[in-house]
């Protein structure tokens, strides 16, 4: 089963590079959804072959929220504010990919430091840290408010992966609570973007610079 | 125990019920306000029952140990009850004026009351929870529910402030969650204890072996994460915008309670990290330096503030920095930190109430536009001057006392250079605030104007209550409060 986990990790890393390189919202949303949906299968693969019912329940919930509900909701928000692509980010796309390469190197180094039980390099740790870096980078380097929401989703994907990879056993109720919290967060951020658009006629956070000092 | 669990359920669920009532069901404005008053009365009485029970009988557990109340939580619960009930009562008169002026309509008022009442139980969840992941869920939920309270008045600046608040605080709280995960991962336990792994009481008592490096890394994440929500520099950038753009009762609950709630979350982790690092004081030094940094940042910004609410927001950053410095000193400093929390909450609440009324009377919060203050608004004008004087640290009010206690702790630990930095920062802020107060007091351009406002009854009561209690607190804590704070200090200092 571990080879399937490795495939999922490699796929997640490729998705992260794609996210760093793309400017189109629809593709951003699609790949973030695929990333979330892939992560939903991880608890099942980690516990195989003795899978508990609570893991199946969590996997279904995570798949539903991250794979279906979040992208559908964000597509509706995108349609209401009428934006199609991120035209001029703070950090250009080529430099973003270079950052991605640098971030992978740092993630490998960090996960070696974090190696808990063995001194070997743990793929899941590395992917988790890299996903967190990607999410944070998207939040700070992109100008549209919706892209910041997507960056937050990627950050939360990375945190979920870190939780799974550090073998932390979190009670079912807490997992549901965290998922619900993220759902409310995305919901509220979506409504906030709609308010920004109504007030400003754009969703460029670059132009939100009235309050200074 | 069952009775307590029933009361706990009521204290959590009834604000949601009232929130739905105020939002949709009740059409009449007077009945909406009446429902608000009924709700806060229920919450106040129930909360006091829990606080007194904890002060007399000690900590108690509910719902299979996921919820508990010890002296530290009980003290913060007391601060929450005071600030929330005062702010709710104030919001009645505040929104009455706005309804008459047409700034807000019945639907907007319903939205405010619904969000306001829903934010109370999520703040309670953070205080009552024993489960460290539940603390995180409560903090994130607090961020989300209070976000739309900021942009209640739809202006471009308030929408901008709301967006900054949501993004910065959500990312910050996500960092805190990484810290919690790393902390739990650092326990070297067998499978048996997994069920209680996230319970704070279990972590501090039974779990003995930690991986020290993991614990240190996790504490840095927790400090940065919850420090974002607390307004510690350099994660404070959302604070001046959010507190200045929000309506006055919301600013009061932000500065008065939510900032100190985040400091409460950090202080929950101090005994764990201290025990793991063998009481070397590593985490306390970190908190001390970040507190001093916040104080210095606030010192650079306060003299240049032209907006009254923004000035109060930077003063909040300063005071949270002072609380962090006191926490980081340890020993007697912990007592000073908790005492300062109470004093700051009360005085900042009064300050924001007055700033709200000034905004309504003058049309803006610019200090330069405040003209003939004591003639035009005799009651809240006096309140503003009282609050600015008290916040500066003038004797004989309580903030002077708590700052004095912190200086005494510095001297007893012989940290002379840090004491000099602390004193110079506090003095610069003192001078800046005096200058602003004199500007306000001596601006009487239109001597002959006659204003209709007479000092009203309720404002005078609130101002005297707050200023009077701050005066009395400086002379001595009442005995039950003294016991509560001392026990809370013992919890943070880990029984050392």
């Amino acid at each position: 089963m571990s080879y399937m986990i490795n495939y999922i990790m490699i796929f997640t890393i490729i998705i992260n590079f794609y996210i760093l390189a793309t400017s189109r919202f629809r593709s951003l949303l699609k790949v973030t959804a695929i990333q979330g949906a892939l992560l939903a299968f991880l608890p099942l693969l980690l516990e195989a072959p003795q899978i508990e019912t609570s893991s199946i329940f969590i996997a279904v919930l995570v798949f539903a929220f991250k794979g279906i509900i979040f992208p559908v909701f964000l597509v509706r928000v995108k349609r209401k504010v009428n934006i199609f692509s991120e035209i001029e980010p703070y950090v250009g796309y080529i430099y973003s990919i270079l950052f991605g390469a640098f971030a992978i190197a740092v993630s490998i180094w960090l996960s070696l430091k974090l190696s808990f039980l063995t001194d070997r390099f743990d793929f899941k740790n590395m992917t988790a840290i890299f996903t967190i870096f990607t999410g944070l980078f998207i939040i700070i380097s992109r100008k549209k408010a919706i892209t910041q929401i997507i960056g937050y989703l990627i950050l939360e994907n990375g945190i979920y992966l870190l939780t799974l990879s550090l073998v932390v056993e979190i009670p079912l109720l807490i997992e549901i609570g965290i998922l619900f919290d993220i759902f409310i967060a995305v919901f509220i951020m979506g409504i906030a973007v709609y308010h920004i658009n109504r007030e400003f006629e754009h969703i460029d956070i670059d132009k939100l610079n009235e309050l200074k000092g | 125990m069952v009775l307590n669990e029933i009361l706990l359920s009521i204290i959590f669920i009834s604000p949601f019920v009232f929130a739905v009532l105020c939002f949709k069901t009740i059409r009449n404005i007077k009945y909406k306000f009446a429902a608000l008053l009924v709700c806060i009365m229920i919450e106040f009485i129930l909360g006091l029952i829990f606080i007194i029970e904890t002060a007399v009988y000690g900590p108690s557990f509910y719902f299979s140990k996921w919820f508990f109340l010890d002296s530290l939580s009980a003290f913060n619960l007391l601060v929450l009850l005071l600030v929330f009930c005062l702010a709710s009562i104030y919001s009645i008169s505040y929104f009455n004026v706005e309804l008459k002026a047409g700034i807000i309509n019945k639907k907007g008022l319903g939205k405010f009351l619904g969000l306001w009442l829903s934010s109370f139980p999520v703040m309670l969840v953070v205080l009552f929870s024993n489960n460290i992941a539940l603390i995180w869920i409560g903090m994130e939920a607090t961020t989300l529910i209070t976000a739309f309270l900021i942009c209640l008045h739809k202006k471009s600046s308030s929408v901008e402030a709301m967006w900054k608040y949501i993004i910065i605080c959500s990312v910050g709280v996500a960092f805190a969650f990484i810290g919690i995960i790393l902390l739990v991962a650092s326990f070297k336990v067998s499978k048996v204890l997994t069920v209680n792994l996230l319970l704070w009481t279990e972590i501090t008592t039974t779990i003995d072996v930690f991986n020290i490096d993991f614990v240190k890394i996790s504490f840095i994440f927790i400090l940065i994460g919850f420090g974002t929500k607390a307004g510690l520099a350099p994660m404070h950038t959302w604070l001046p915008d959010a507190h200045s753009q929000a309506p006055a009762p919301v600013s009061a609950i932000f500065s008065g309670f939510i900032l100190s709630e985040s400091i409460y979350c950090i202080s929950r982790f101090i005994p764990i990290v201290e025990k793991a690092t063998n009481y070397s004081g590593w985490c306390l030094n970190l908190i001390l330096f970040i507190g001093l940094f916040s104080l210095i940042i606030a010192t650079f910004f306060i003299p240049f503030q032209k907006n009254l609410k923004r000035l109060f927001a930077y003063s909040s950053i300063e005071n949270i920095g002072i609380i962090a410095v006191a926490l980081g000193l340890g020993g007697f400093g912990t007592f000073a930190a908790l005492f300062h929390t109470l004093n700051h909450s009360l005085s900042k609440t009064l300050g924001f109430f007055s700033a709200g009324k000034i905004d309504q009377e003058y049309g803006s919060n610019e200090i330069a536009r405040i003209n003939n203050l004591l003639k035009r608004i005799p009651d809240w004008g006096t309140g503003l001057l009282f609050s600015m004087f008290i916040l500066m640290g003038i004797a004989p009010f309580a903030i002077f006392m708590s700052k004095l206690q912190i200086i005494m702790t510095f001297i007893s630990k012989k940290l002379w250079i840090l004491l000099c930095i602390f004193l110079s920062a506090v003095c610069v802020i003192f001078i800046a605030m005096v200058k602003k107060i004199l500007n306000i007091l001596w601006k009487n351009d239109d001597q002959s104007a006659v204003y209709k406002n007479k000092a009203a009854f309720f404002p005078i009561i609130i101002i005297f209550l707050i200023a009077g209690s701050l005066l009395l607190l400086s002379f001595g804590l009442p005995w039950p409060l003294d016991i509560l704070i001392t026990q809370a200090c013992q919890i943070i200092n880990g029984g050392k």
Side-chain angles (χ1 to χ4, degrees):
Chain A
M1 274 302 152
S2 69
Y3 67 92
M4 281 198 71
I5 299 178
N6 284 341
Y7 282 165
I8 294 183
M9 294 299 118
I10 295 177
F11 214 31
T12 310
I13 295 177
I14 296 178
I15 288 179
N16 283 332
F17 271 110
Y18 185 82
I19 288 170
L20 286 169
T22 188
S23 66
R24 290 161 33 230
F25 281 134
R26 273 197 82 89
S27 47
L28 264 178
L29 281 173
K30 265 192 217 165
V31 293
T32 313
I34 296 174
Q35 193 181 54
L38 278 178
L39 290 180
F41 291 116
L42 266 183
L44 304 173
L45 288 173
L46 281 171
E47 281 193 5
Q50 305 126 329
I51 305 181
E52 300 171 25
T53 41
S54 59
S55 306
I56 300 182
F57 188 54
I58 287 291
V60 166
L61 265 184
V62 171
F63 186 84
F65 273 108
K66 296 199 182 193
I68 305 175
I69 298 182
F70 290 156
V72 164
F73 176 68
L74 286 175
V75 161
R76 283 180 60 192
V77 172
K78 183 200 87 127
R79 234 178 256 148
K80 279 202 176 139
V81 301
N82 232 356
I83 312 281
F84 295 105
S85 72
E86 173 90 40
I87 304 190
E88 247 188 34
Y90 287 117
V91 180
Y93 296 106
I94 306 280
Y95 288 114
S96 301
I97 301 183
L98 285 178
F99 167 80
F102 176 67
I104 278 211
V106 174
S107 316
I108 294 178
W109 180 75
L110 278 175
S111 73
L112 279 172
K113 293 283 178 187
L114 272 182
S115 284
F116 197 23
L117 299 167
T118 66
D119 266 326
R120 254 187 14 239
F121 154 78
D122 191 349
F123 213 169
K124 296 199 295 293
N125 274 339
M126 186 217 105
T127 319
I129 299 175
F130 180 51
T131 316
I132 293 177
F133 273 136
T134 310
L136 288 173
F137 186 76
I138 295 287
I139 292 180
I140 59 178
S141 69
R142 303 289 189 249
K143 280 190 187 170
K144 301 278 186 223
I146 292 192
T147 329
Q148 290 192 320
I149 306 180
I150 297 176
Y152 179 72
L153 276 178
I154 301 169
L155 174 65
E156 289 292 338
N157 278 347
I159 295 180
Y160 181 64
L161 192 48
L162 193 68
T163 317
L164 289 176
S165 75
L166 286 177
V167 201
V168 173
E169 318 225 337
I170 301 194
L172 180 67
L173 213 55
I174 296 283
E175 289 245 16
I176 298 178
I178 295 172
L179 211 50
F180 199 64
D181 236 354
I182 301 174
F183 169 61
I184 303 279
V186 172
F187 186 67
I188 295 217
M189 286 185 201
I191 299 181
V193 167
Y194 176 64
H195 278 312
I196 296 178
N197 189 46
R198 226 175 39 173
E199 193 64 38
F200 288 95
E201 301 290 331
H202 65 78
I203 54 167
D204 243 347
I205 55 144
D206 191 30
K207 302 199 184 103
L208 295 178
N209 52 9
E210 187 185 323
L211 296 165
K212 285 194 244 241
Chain B
M1 266 311 119
V2 183
L3 175 66
N4 274 333
E5 296 192 348
I6 295 178
L7 285 180
L8 196 65
S9 320
I10 297 179
I11 206 176
F12 277 142
I13 299 180
S14 60
F16 282 123
V17 170
F18 277 97
V20 171
L21 282 178
C22 288
F23 182 47
K24 275 287 182 195
T25 324
I26 303 179
R27 302 282 172 185
N28 191 327
I29 292 179
K30 286 207 176 79
Y31 291 158
K32 280 196 215 259
F33 284 136
L36 173 70
L37 281 177
V38 167
C39 182
I40 63 170
M41 252 190 333
I42 297 177
E43 298 297 303
F44 192 70
I45 296 175
L46 286 178
L48 269 185
I49 294 178
F50 276 109
I51 295 175
I52 296 176
E53 188 185 323
T54 308
V56 172
Y57 293 120
S60 35
F61 296 86
Y62 317 103
F63 293 122
S64 64
K65 291 199 168 189
W66 271 42
F67 291 98
F68 89 134
L69 199 68
D70 64 359
S71 309
L72 184 57
S73 328
F75 173 67
N76 280 288
L77 181 60
L78 180 66
V79 175
L80 168 62
L81 287 175
L82 287 173
V83 176
F84 193 78
C85 296
L86 281 171
S88 304
I89 298 174
Y90 170 82
S91 69
I92 296 181
S93 83
Y94 182 81
F95 283 111
N96 264 329
V97 172
E98 297 219 329
L99 281 166
K100 281 204 193 89
I103 302 177
I104 193 177
N105 58 6
K106 200 163 66 172
K107 191 171 152 216
L109 180 68
K111 185 174 146 194
F112 167 78
L113 285 176
L115 287 171
W116 175 256
L117 284 173
S118 324
S119 67
F120 186 70
V122 284
M123 294 193 266
L124 279 181
V125 162
V126 179
L127 289 180
F128 270 97
S129 87
N130 193 6
N131 189 320
I132 51 182
L134 197 58
I135 289 183
W136 178 83
I137 294 180
M139 285 306 286
E140 175 78 14
T142 312
T143 311
L144 300 172
I145 295 186
T146 50
F148 284 124
L149 285 173
I150 297 179
C151 65
L152 196 72
H153 304 136
K154 289 263 182 322
K155 295 181 297 209
S156 57
S157 50
S158 56
V159 170
E160 175 186 337
M162 170 203 64
W163 184 249
K164 250 173 139 170
Y165 174 65
I166 293 181
I167 289 289
I168 297 180
C169 286
S170 296
V171 173
V173 173
F175 268 71
F177 190 59
I178 298 179
I180 294 177
I181 296 293
L182 286 172
L183 183 70
V184 179
S186 74
F187 303 151
K188 293 179 182 161
V189 291
S190 61
K191 278 274 188 180
V192 173
L193 288 171
T194 325
V195 151
N196 291 329
L197 204 61
L198 287 173
L199 295 179
W200 184 85
T201 42
E202 301 294 321
I203 299 175
T204 44
T205 51
T206 58
I207 296 184
D208 259 336
V209 191
F210 300 89
N211 182 337
I212 295 186
D213 290 324
F214 257 62
V215 171
K216 287 187 175 180
I217 300 174
S218 78
F219 184 72
I220 296 180
F221 271 106
I222 288 174
L223 182 61
I224 301 279
F226 285 124
T228 312
K229 208 66 185 50
L232 291 170
M235 293 86 60
H236 66 288
T237 42
W238 60 273
L239 211 155
D241 303 339
H243 288 211
S244 59
Q245 299 302 318
V250 179
S251 303
I253 200 78
F254 269 157
S255 278
F257 183 65
I258 297 186
L259 299 185
S260 36
E261 188 179 47
S262 318
I263 297 282
Y264 160 81
C265 294
I266 297 176
S267 61
R268 272 289 174 209
F269 289 99
I270 292 179
I272 303 177
V273 181
E274 278 286 278
K275 189 169 159 195
T277 58
N278 265 328
Y279 299 107
S280 63
W282 177 85
C283 65
L284 293 179
N285 283 336
L286 217 51
I287 301 179
L288 174 61
F289 282 115
I290 210 174
L292 269 179
F293 187 58
S294 308
L295 192 53
I296 297 173
I297 293 275
T299 317
F300 277 115
F301 278 91
I302 283 187
F304 305 108
Q305 292 310 311
K306 301 191 176 50
N307 183 317
L308 191 60
K309 273 195 172 162
R310 236 176 138 81
L311 175 69
F312 279 134
Y314 275 108
S315 165
S316 292
I317 299 180
E318 170 217 346
N319 280 297
I320 292 293
I322 293 178
I323 295 175
V325 163
L327 260 184
L329 287 173
F332 188 50
T334 323
F335 184 91
L338 293 173
F339 188 38
H340 195 85
T341 314
L342 179 63
N343 305 335
H344 169 240
S345 299
L346 285 176
S347 42
K348 195 47 70 70
T349 310
L350 180 61
F352 272 115
F353 286 175
S354 320
K357 283 297 180 181
I358 287 178
D359 190 12
Q360 286 180 333
E361 181 69 29
Y362 289 91
S364 95
N365 260 318
E366 303 293 316
I367 297 182
R369 289 181 63 170
I370 298 178
N371 211 344
N372 267 328
L373 179 68
L374 290 176
K375 251 180 151 192
R376 193 160 168 176
I377 327 176
D379 42 19
W380 287 112
T382 328
L384 177 73
L385 291 170
F386 261 134
S387 69
M388 286 179 84
F389 272 124
I390 296 175
L391 278 169
M392 275 183 347
I394 217 161
F397 289 99
I399 290 203
F400 170 77
M401 254 331 141
S402 48
K403 284 187 182 169
L404 191 65
Q405 289 171 348
I406 297 176
I407 295 176
M408 280 162 54
T409 320
F410 264 121
I411 295 178
S412 76
K413 296 205 183 264
K414 300 199 190 337
L415 296 166
W416 305 116
I417 302 183
L418 295 177
L419 174 61
C420 287
I421 300 177
F422 180 81
L423 276 178
S424 17
V426 168
C427 287
V428 169
I429 294 177
F430 188 91
I431 299 172
M433 294 279 269
V434 167
K435 184 159 181 261
K436 294 193 194 306
I437 295 177
L438 292 179
N439 277 339
I440 295 178
L441 263 182
W442 260 259
K443 194 151 196 263
N444 295 316
D445 281 347
D446 202 359
Q447 291 287 351
S448 59
V450 172
Y451 298 108
K452 319 183 277 213
N453 293 337
K454 299 241 171 45
F457 179 61
F458 271 119
I460 296 187
I461 292 276
I462 295 185
I463 296 171
F464 267 102
L465 253 170
I466 298 182
S469 54
L470 284 168
L471 184 64
L472 290 174
L473 277 175
S474 80
F475 288 121
L477 287 167
W479 163 78
L481 197 57
D482 199 4
I483 294 188
L484 209 58
I485 299 187
T486 320
Q487 284 175 348
C489 287
Q490 280 171 349
I491 295 174
I492 298 183
N493 288 332
K496 206 177 55 158

